[in-house]
């Protein structure tokens, strides 16, 4: 029995390309965010690549992995989380390039990425009538999804650095503040019925400065308020942890979306 081209494409588009929102999703997301901070610093400073060269190299890697991600017709943990880790690094580098290389203030970058994220959401909703990650079932929706993810990382970097510099609380206190804000959003959703999509995206943005604060606390020298583990050790610890969790999820399939969703949802 032959299947026409339209039916083949449609069947490939029906599986959600994003994992279920389990505890593992948020753990890996925060770990990936931390790696984004420490790995960018490692490549820039320790390997002496500089911001420009580091951005160029990591952008090539991201494009390559994204290409493979878009060719898949379902969620594959190792590919999906590789994209997230690489986007976290690129998001950090974009903000760092604007601030350090081009002299754009953190206030301005925060405003720019807020507007860029808002514009992405507006275009996404106008096109698809939904911002839910439970229906990333077409290439167009996935493109909007990854663009939004990129801007959340860039915005989280800019806003997190702005808070850290303007308030000067130190790394671990900043981490506690962002963790507390995520807890408030969680309670607002569970207890007071805050819209699930809105709650998700607010929490997703806040995990970026949370992870960055944790990464800085672990990696930065003790005289600067950190634990002095360095970017190499910190990045290695978190990458190994991410890899272990991804292997577990690949074998257990605990975060897989097995249901087939209607395209219109």
């Amino acid at each position: 029995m032959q299947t026409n081209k339209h039916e083949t494409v449609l069947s490939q588009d029906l599986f959600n390309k994003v994992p279920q929102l389990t505890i593992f999703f948020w753990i890996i997301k925060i770990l990936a965010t931390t790696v984004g901070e420490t790995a960018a610093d490692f490549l820039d400073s320790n390997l002496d690549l500089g911001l420009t060269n580091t951005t160029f190299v990591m952008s090539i890697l991201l494009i390559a992995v994204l290409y493979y991600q878009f060719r898949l017709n379902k969620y594959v943990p190792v590919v999906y989380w590789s994209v997230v880790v690489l986007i976290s690094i690129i998001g950090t580098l974009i903000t760092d390039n604007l601030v350090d290389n081009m002299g754009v203030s953190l206030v301005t970058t925060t405003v720019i990425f807020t507007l860029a994220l808002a514009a992405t959401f507006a275009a996404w909703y106008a096109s698809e009538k939904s911002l839910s990650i439970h229906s990333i079932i077409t290439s167009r929706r996935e493109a909007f999804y990854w663009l939004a993810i990129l801007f959340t990382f860039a915005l989280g970097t800019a806003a997190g650095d702005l808070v850290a510099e303007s308030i000067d609380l130190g790394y671990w206190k900043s981490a506690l503040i962002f963790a507390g804000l995520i807890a408030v959003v969680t309670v607002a959703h569970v207890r007071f019925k805050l819209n699930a999509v809105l709650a998700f995206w607010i929490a997703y943005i806040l995990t970026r400065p949370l992870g960055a604060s944790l990464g800085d606390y672990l990696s930065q020298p003790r005289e600067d308020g950190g634990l002095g583990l360095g970017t190499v050790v910190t990045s290695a610890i978190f990458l190994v942890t991410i890899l272990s969790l991804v292997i577990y999820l690949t074998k257990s399939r605990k975060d897989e979306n097995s249901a087939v969703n209607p395209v219109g949802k």
Side-chain angles (χ1 to χ4, degrees), residues 33 38 48 51 71 82 109 112 115 130 134 136 150 154 156-157 164 173 188 192 194 198 209 213 251 255-257:
T33 295
T38 57
D48 200 27
L51 280 175
R71 289 180 61 85
S82 294
T109 53
I112 289 173
L115 294 175
S130 172
H134 300 298
I136 307 300
L150 175 62
T157 300
K173 290 181 181 178
F192 301 104
L194 176 66
L198 177 61
S213 297
K251 292 181 176 295
D255 64 341
E256 235 178 59
N257 290 285

Side-chain angles (χ1 to χ4, degrees), residues 21 23 30 36 38 50 67 92 99 101 110 120 151 162 165 167 170 174 194 198 212 234 246 250 261:
L21 295 184
I23 185 63
I30 294 172
T38 57
Y67 173 77
T92 298
V99 174
N101 281 353
T110 299
T120 301
F151 286 137
L162 178 62
E165 291 186 12
I167 302 178
S174 296
L194 176 66
L198 177 61
T234 303
V246 168
T250 300
N261 301 302

Side-chain angles (χ1 to χ4, degrees), residues 61-137:
L61 286 176
L62 174 60
I63 291 170
V65 179
L66 258 181
Y67 173 77
Y68 190 64
Q69 165 69 21
F70 271 93
R71 289 180 61 85
L72 295 172
N73 64 359
K74 64 178 182 178
Y75 162 67
V76 177
V78 66
V79 180
Y80 174 88
W81 287 111
S82 294
V83 174
V84 173
V85 170
L86 288 169
I87 282 187
S88 74
I89 296 173
I90 293 297
T92 298
L93 290 170
I94 289 173
T95 299
D96 288 347
N97 270 289
L98 287 173
V99 174
D100 297 337
N101 281 353
M102 301 180 186
V104 182
S105 72
L106 286 170
V107 173
T108 301
T109 53
T110 299
V111 172
I112 289 173
F113 290 127
T114 298
L115 294 175
L117 183 58
T120 301
F121 284 146
W124 183 354
Y125 189 82
S127 172
E128 305 298 320
K129 307 306 178 188
S130 172
L131 299 179
S132 173
I133 68 163
H134 300 298
S135 58
I136 307 300
I137 52 179

Side-chain angles (χ1 to χ4, degrees), residues 55 143 184 186 243 263:
T55 303
V184 169
T186 303
L243 180 59
V263 174

Side-chain angles (χ1 to χ4, degrees), residues 5-263:
K5 182 178 179 181
H6 173 72
E7 289 174 339
T8 301
V9 172
L10 185 59
S11 65
Q12 289 177 342
D13 280 343
L14 291 179
F15 293 94
N16 196 12
K17 303 284 290 290
V18 175
Q20 294 185 47
L21 295 184
T22 65
I23 185 63
F24 298 106
F25 178 94
W26 293 109
I27 291 174
I28 299 177
K29 167 59 169 66
I30 294 172
L31 294 175
T33 295
T34 304
V35 169
E37 181 75 12
T38 57
D41 290 344
F42 170 72
L43 294 169
D44 175 21
S45 303
N46 295 61
L47 295 186
D48 200 27
L49 290 179
L51 280 175
T52 301
N53 290 333
T54 300
T55 303
F56 180 71
V57 171
M58 300 312 296
S59 294
I60 292 176
L61 286 176
L62 174 60
I63 291 170
V65 179
L66 258 181
Y67 173 77
Y68 190 64
Q69 165 69 21
F70 271 93
R71 289 180 61 85
L72 295 172
N73 64 359
K74 64 178 182 178
Y75 162 67
V76 177
V78 66
V79 180
Y80 174 88
W81 287 111
S82 294
V83 174
V84 173
V85 170
L86 288 169
I87 282 187
S88 74
I89 296 173
I90 293 297
T92 298
L93 290 170
I94 289 173
T95 299
D96 288 347
N97 270 289
L98 287 173
V99 174
D100 297 337
N101 281 353
M102 301 180 186
V104 182
S105 72
L106 286 170
V107 173
T108 301
T109 53
T110 299
V111 172
I112 289 173
F113 290 127
T114 298
L115 294 175
L117 183 58
T120 301
F121 284 146
W124 183 354
Y125 189 82
S127 172
E128 305 298 320
K129 307 306 178 188
S130 172
L131 299 179
S132 173
I133 68 163
H134 300 298
S135 58
I136 307 300
I137 52 179
T138 66
S139 295
R140 183 166 58 185
R141 291 186 182 187
E142 187 174 10
F144 280 124
Y145 174 77
W146 288 119
L147 185 60
I149 296 301
L150 175 62
F151 286 137
T152 63
F153 277 113
L155 173 59
T157 300
D161 289 350
L162 178 62
V163 171
E165 291 186 12
S166 61
I167 302 178
D168 195 25
L169 288 176
Y171 302 126
W172 70 269
K173 290 181 181 178
S174 296
L176 287 178
I177 288 175
F178 290 116
L181 290 173
I182 293 172
V184 169
V185 173
T186 303
V187 171
H189 169 58
V190 175
R191 186 76 175 84
F192 301 104
K193 308 304 179 185
L194 176 66
N195 179 271
V197 174
L198 177 61
F200 168 80
W201 285 112
I202 293 174
Y204 203 97
I205 293 170
L206 289 172
T207 55
R208 174 60 187 84
L210 169 61
S213 297
L214 290 173
D216 285 337
Y217 179 62
L218 292 171
S219 64
Q220 295 305 307
R222 292 182 179 274
E223 57 267 26
D224 294 333
L227 290 181
L229 296 181
T231 55
V232 177
V233 174
T234 303
S235 298
I237 291 173
F238 281 81
L239 281 172
V240 169
T241 306
I242 290 172
L243 180 59
S244 300
L245 289 174
V246 168
I247 291 173
Y248 169 73
L249 292 174
T250 300
K251 292 181 176 295
S252 67
R253 303 175 68 177
K254 285 185 177 294
D255 64 341
E256 235 178 59
N257 290 285
S258 57
V260 178
N261 301 302
V263 174

